[in-house]
Amino acid sequence: MADIKRHMNFDHPVELEPLDVLPAEYRHEYQSLTSVAGTYEKIGNSSVIRYDPEQMNKPIQFINLMAHELMHARLDDVVAEVPGGEEAHELATDLGCIIAGFGVFQLQAADDAGWFGYMTQQSRAFALAVFLHRRGLELDTVSPFLSPRCKRLVSKAMKAL
């Protein structure tokens, strides 16, 4: 979490706690997309991120989760100012992660989990392509870290730019 906070240039204190969930071997979630990987909550002046400890066995998904929840903390004071207001907060959070440099994690983690979250994979790929383009980077910079499917989506988006 400290590395992600440093990369985001975010120095506010954040508490990190595991969610109170059953160990993975005792859960029955046949193709369920309703499980909670993590949460963000502001309690008084404290920011608290809770995470499913099972996520630590999936490094890309765990880093994405931490980036997403930390972005909630980072955007907490400006929720009403974000275009779309509170209703668009989750979308702004995912987009904020891509803008902050976590686009590969956003795209690949969603693909690995089979969950699209608050943006479609095409939208994530396009946002990542814009990020790369604005920094003068090529697809080869990130392609070793993307599945063939994600690589195709980013390649298509880069061509569209």
Side-chain angles (χ1 to χ4, degrees):
M1 184 170 75
D3 289 338
I4 295 168
K5 284 175 68 176
R6 185 174 55 254
H7 186 78
M8 286 183 174
N9 197 25
F10 183 67
D11 62 358
H12 292 74
V14 177
E15 295 177 39
L16 186 61
E17 300 176 1
L19 282 168
D20 186 19
V21 293
L22 287 172
E25 63 267 18
Y26 299 114
R27 297 183 206 170
H28 290 290
E29 297 178 6
Y30 302 109
Q31 307 261 329
S32 171
L33 298 177
T34 61
S35 62
V36 174
T39 64
Y40 167 76
E41 186 177 12
K42 183 88 172 204
I43 303 171
N45 292 333
S46 298
S47 294
V48 179
I49 292 174
R50 292 183 180 87
Y51 65 96
D52 180 345
E54 179 63 22
Q55 291 293 308
M56 294 181 77
N57 294 320
K58 304 167 188 167
I60 291 173
Q61 291 180 31
F62 184 69
I63 292 168
N64 180 58
L65 171 67
M66 289 295 106
H68 178 88
E69 300 306 340
L70 280 168
M71 187 58 67
H72 273 300
R74 190 163 184 223
L75 295 175
D76 201 39
D77 294 334
V78 295
V79 172
E81 298 171 32
V82 172
E86 196 168 331
E87 294 81 33
H89 183 63
E90 290 292 350
L91 175 62
T93 301
D94 277 356
L95 187 56
C97 288
I98 297 168
I99 292 167
F102 291 91
V104 169
F105 294 99
Q106 275 278 304
L107 183 64
Q108 193 59 56
D111 201 59
D112 291 349
W115 183 74
F116 296 110
Y118 307 101
M119 297 177 77
T120 65
Q121 286 298 80
Q122 291 80 3
S123 295
R124 269 194 195 93
F126 191 82
L128 177 56
V130 170
F131 175 89
L132 294 170
H133 178 75
R134 294 192 70 171
R135 283 155 184 79
L137 301 171
E138 299 295 325
L139 178 60
D140 295 345
T141 309
V142 298
S143 63
F145 310 104
L146 296 173
S147 67
R149 180 180 182 280
C150 290
K151 201 180 312 181
R152 279 191 304 276
L153 289 171
V154 177
S155 177
K156 183 179 176 182
M158 290 185 87
K159 287 176 186 171
L161 289 175

